[in-house]
Amino acid sequence: MVTAPNNTVGASSRAPRAELLDARRDGAIERAAQIIRAGGLVAFPTETVYGLGALGLDPLACARIFEAKRRPHFDPLILHVAEVRAVDAVGHMQPTAIVLAERFWPGPLTLVLPRHAVVPDIVTSGMQTVAVRVPAHPVAHRLLEAVGTPVAAPSANPFGRLSPTTAEHVAAGLGDRIDAILDGGPADRGLESTIIDVTGDAPALLRAGAIALEEIESLLGRVIDRRLSSSRPAAPGQLEAHYAPRTPLLLSEPGASTDLRAAGLLTLTRREGDDRFAAVEELSASGDLCQAAVRFFAALHRLDERGLDVIYARPLSETGLGVAIMDRLRRAASMTRR
Ligand code: TXA
Ligand code: MG
């Protein structure tokens, strides 16, 4: 393993090869925290997907995130903190935010709040709001505690590509552009956090994610406004084309006479005749959408690695987590239509 000396951490935009840190080993989390505190980039596990972490209140460290991901600067970052009480330092928690936080934090919920001045413009893309999350993953929690200040972290993938749910996915996508990868095993939710904007008069959903909207609506006792438009996204990163494999992806069934010898299939449950495809990924034999969400990105990564001509994704029902999965499939398919 090549270990970058501390004084070079983050000094170059192209690190030699990310240092691999096994979170189960003594000192690994502390080492990851040390690299972040020195201004470097460390990918780390959360319960949703792997994040690419940097010092969230340091504009230069955050700039490296954009460079490594080749992410446009109009797409703001989420700040991650270890404890709910640490959120007050970066944003203002109004009553609805407090209700949501009590129920869902730590967990896969991101709240968009009015920002405080301490948050750099690069984090918010110059907006007066800031996105904040308190992850539940024990490794993320310990890392955030060890860093001691907010950590900005987008998903640890090249911009527009499939999100990473394992350390291997991160290494394949960004391994030569970041300082370290903290391996904490596969993410146990598999879809990004649900994003709720609580800065307006009524809360609004900006991204469907690992918490189903129905759960949030039943807690708040009201219907939540959906602002998921992809042409003018309220969450600027929610572009029409996103989450895309390299292989063309079609969100449909193939025609009856289509040659499927170089075609893959992503399906909730296998059906008779599916063995006509060169490769099939079944997300949940019992049709369980939670299990499907957990497996979703990893299944797409596997299909993408097969060198197929096309991937067919079979539409699934848009209830519960099906909304978030279909949202990602539509964006992935929209990359193919271009
Ligand atoms: O589960 C997750 O949320 C993962 C893990 C690592 O925490 N993070 C993640 O980050 O998915 P990213 O950068 O891939 O997606 C963040 C989304 C983007 O669509 C961005 O535009 C939106 O959050 N966002 C960030 N700050 C915002 C703000 N102030 N207002 C509206 N949307 C915001
Ligand atoms: Mg992302």
Side-chain angles (χ1 to χ4, degrees), residues 225-273:
D225 224 25
R226 291 155 173 76
R227 272 195 248 136
L228 301 173
S229 148
S230 49
S231 47
R232 288 201 53 198
Q238 293 299 91
L239 301 175
E240 187 183 348
H242 214 90
Y243 306 112
R246 285 168 208 288
T247 316
L249 183 140
L250 300 172
L251 184 51
S252 60
E253 296 275 351
S257 60
T258 311
D259 180 356
L260 298 176
R261 280 175 298 181
L265 174 70
L266 182 76
T267 179
L268 181 61
T269 51
R270 243 178 198 281
R271 295 186 191 161
E272 217 180 294

Side-chain angles (χ1 to χ4, degrees), residues 1 59 61 86 145 161 166 170 197 234 238 245 266 272 277 306 325:
M1 180 164 57
E145 267 191 328
R161 292 289 161 197
T166 64
V170 179
D197 181 345
Q238 293 299 91
L266 182 76
E272 217 180 294
F277 290 87
R306 300 279 299 246
I325 296 175

Side-chain angles (χ1 to χ4, degrees), residues 212-230:
L213 189 58
E214 292 91 324
E215 256 191 85
I216 294 170
E217 290 182 327
S218 84
L219 172 70
L220 297 181
R222 62 188 300 169
V223 174
I224 307 267
D225 224 25
R226 291 155 173 76
R227 272 195 248 136
L228 301 173
S229 148
S230 49

Side-chain angles (χ1 to χ4, degrees), residues 151-162:
V151 168
S155 49
N157 51 326
F159 182 71
R161 292 289 161 197
L162 290 175

Side-chain angles (χ1 to χ4, degrees), residues 46 48-51 69 71 75-78 80 110 112 127 129-131 133 153-155 191-193 195 206-207 234-238:
T46 81
T48 57
V49 299
Y50 272 68
K69 279 183 63 95
R71 178 179 174 116
D75 190 1
L77 303 173
I78 299 174
H80 296 65
T110 293
V112 172
M127 296 192 293
T129 59
V130 63
R133 167 157 127 77
S155 49
L191 289 179
E192 291 86 347
S193 58
I195 305 180
L206 303 192
R207 177 174 72 185
Q238 293 299 91

